[in-house]
Amino acid sequence: MTALQGTLNFIYGIFFLYLACYYNYFYKSFFKIANRIFCISIGVQLFLNMYPILLNNGLSFYLAKEYSNTLIGNSNAVSFYFGFSLIYEFISKGKFWKFFMIFNTLCLILTLSRGGFLSVAISLIIFIILSLFNKNLIKISTYINFLIAIVIISITLYYTPIGKELFESLQLGFKASSIASRNILHEQAISEIISKPYGNGLVWVNDPHNFILRAFRDLGLLFGIIIILLFIYPMKYFISKNIIIYNNEILAVLLGYLTIIIHSLFEIYYFTSITLFYTIFILVYLNISIRKFENNLKER
């Protein structure tokens, strides 16, 4: 069965790769529009499912997590998409970007994903550092928008009833026993890697919530390192000489994808059809955007 799952994912991957290449190459705004529609669809589901619990006092972390589900996964699963989109909208600044940035921020808060908040925070810090050196970023407006976003989020979490409940639940979440249980899953995965260095095949039992350990455990040391390198290869652009001249769109996708990589070190991602499609969708668009940017540089 695990071989069948792997074969199907491979077939899906080829199909998704074709679609991503075709639409992202021939339709300039396809990526932005498609991503917004996708996030709105799961964001509405998330709100409708959590609405009953948001009306009640005494919101608990685990109760909130139980209600924060959608048709494509639970809160931890969908938080990846909101984290990416939040960063993408904030940096790319396309039409109506403020609305979609606020929307994705609220949805990320509703997921109560600790890994989501951490990955977004790290990407924002890196973006601020890059903005000090990048020649194409308008620094003053970027910093002002960043401060305004922090103020809005702070007011929402500290001074609104729903925000207070969510913030308290998030605080409890960081103290939850699930964090300690991840260490046990990591130890089990490492033990399996040592005992079966050739891999177990794609299995979903005792997922280590770390895509590097998952890759080595399921695919083995050889193919594990190959798939890891394929997923993290875009990080090479951070050390490219063009990083100081990349435009907002490229930096938005690059830093947005960084949130996924960081987040996948703490939560389950990759190895499913929906995450495979989303990853291919992002990486194809990033590659096309960089190629077009570099070709324009050569023509000048």
Side-chain angles (χ1 to χ4, degrees), residues 2-33:
T2 56
L4 177 61
Q5 178 66 36
T7 302
L8 288 175
N9 278 343
F10 178 78
I11 296 173
Y12 289 148
I14 297 298
F15 179 66
F16 294 154
L17 179 61
Y18 169 76
L19 290 178
C21 291
Y22 178 83
Y23 284 104
N24 281 320
Y25 186 83
F26 290 104
Y27 299 94
K28 182 178 180 181
S29 301
F30 177 78
F31 179 85
K32 188 185 297 291
I33 295 172

Side-chain angles (χ1 to χ4, degrees), residues 21-235:
C21 291
Y22 178 83
Y23 284 104
N24 281 320
Y25 186 83
F26 290 104
Y27 299 94
K28 182 178 180 181
S29 301
F30 177 78
F31 179 85
K32 188 185 297 291
I33 295 172
N35 190 63
R36 286 177 173 180
I37 293 174
F38 176 67
C39 287
I40 287 176
S41 66
I42 56 178
V44 170
Q45 292 177 54
L46 188 66
F47 177 77
L48 291 177
N49 287 334
M50 290 196 70
Y51 183 72
I53 195 66
L54 291 175
L55 295 178
N56 299 323
N57 294 323
L59 178 67
S60 69
F61 176 76
Y62 288 109
L63 182 59
K65 295 288 281 185
E66 182 179 347
Y67 276 82
S68 55
N69 288 300
T70 69
L71 293 175
I72 65 170
N74 60 21
S75 60
N76 291 332
V78 299
S79 61
F80 283 90
Y81 312 122
F82 296 130
F84 169 86
S85 300
L86 191 164
I87 293 294
Y88 174 73
E89 294 290 351
F90 176 71
I91 299 176
S92 66
K93 293 181 174 57
K95 194 174 182 180
F96 305 119
W97 71 271
K98 292 181 181 178
F99 168 80
F100 288 100
M101 185 197 74
I102 294 173
F103 176 82
N104 285 293
T105 300
L106 293 176
C107 289
L108 183 62
I109 292 173
L110 287 178
T111 65
L112 296 172
S113 172
R114 297 159 289 188
F117 285 108
L118 178 63
S119 60
V120 166
I122 293 175
S123 290
L124 284 175
I125 291 172
I126 294 176
F127 171 66
I128 294 299
I129 295 173
L130 288 177
S131 68
L132 298 175
F133 305 97
N134 190 283
K135 300 176 182 179
N136 290 324
L137 294 178
I138 303 176
K139 298 177 176 55
I140 296 179
S141 64
T142 297
Y143 298 149
I144 291 176
N145 288 325
F146 182 69
L147 290 175
I148 291 175
I150 292 178
V151 171
I152 292 174
I153 293 173
S154 299
I155 292 174
T156 302
L157 292 178
Y158 285 99
Y159 297 102
T160 65
I162 293 178
K164 289 180 180 179
E165 295 286 355
L166 290 171
F167 184 65
E168 290 176 3
S169 295
L170 187 61
Q171 286 180 309
L172 292 174
F174 279 104
K175 301 175 183 178
S177 59
S178 60
I179 295 179
S181 67
R182 299 288 171 83
N183 294 331
I184 297 175
L185 294 173
H186 292 169
E187 292 173 0
Q188 290 177 349
I190 293 173
S191 177
E192 291 184 57
I193 292 170
I194 295 174
S195 62
K196 295 182 179 180
Y198 49 83
N200 293 311
L202 290 178
V203 293
W204 299 96
V205 179
N206 297 328
D207 193 295
H209 292 71
N210 180 297
F211 98 92
I212 293 178
L213 290 178
R214 173 77 187 277
F216 284 133
R217 187 197 69 172
D218 290 4
L219 304 178
L221 296 178
L222 176 60
F223 291 101
I225 192 65
I226 292 175
I227 199 68
I228 290 170
L229 291 176
L230 286 175
F231 285 142
I232 67 173
Y233 95 89
M235 299 301 98

Side-chain angles (χ1 to χ4, degrees), residues 261-276:
I261 291 180
I262 296 172
H263 197 171
S264 67
L265 299 176
F266 307 99
E267 294 290 352
I268 300 173
Y269 191 75
Y270 299 116
F271 305 112
T272 66
S273 299
I274 185 67
T275 56
L276 179 65

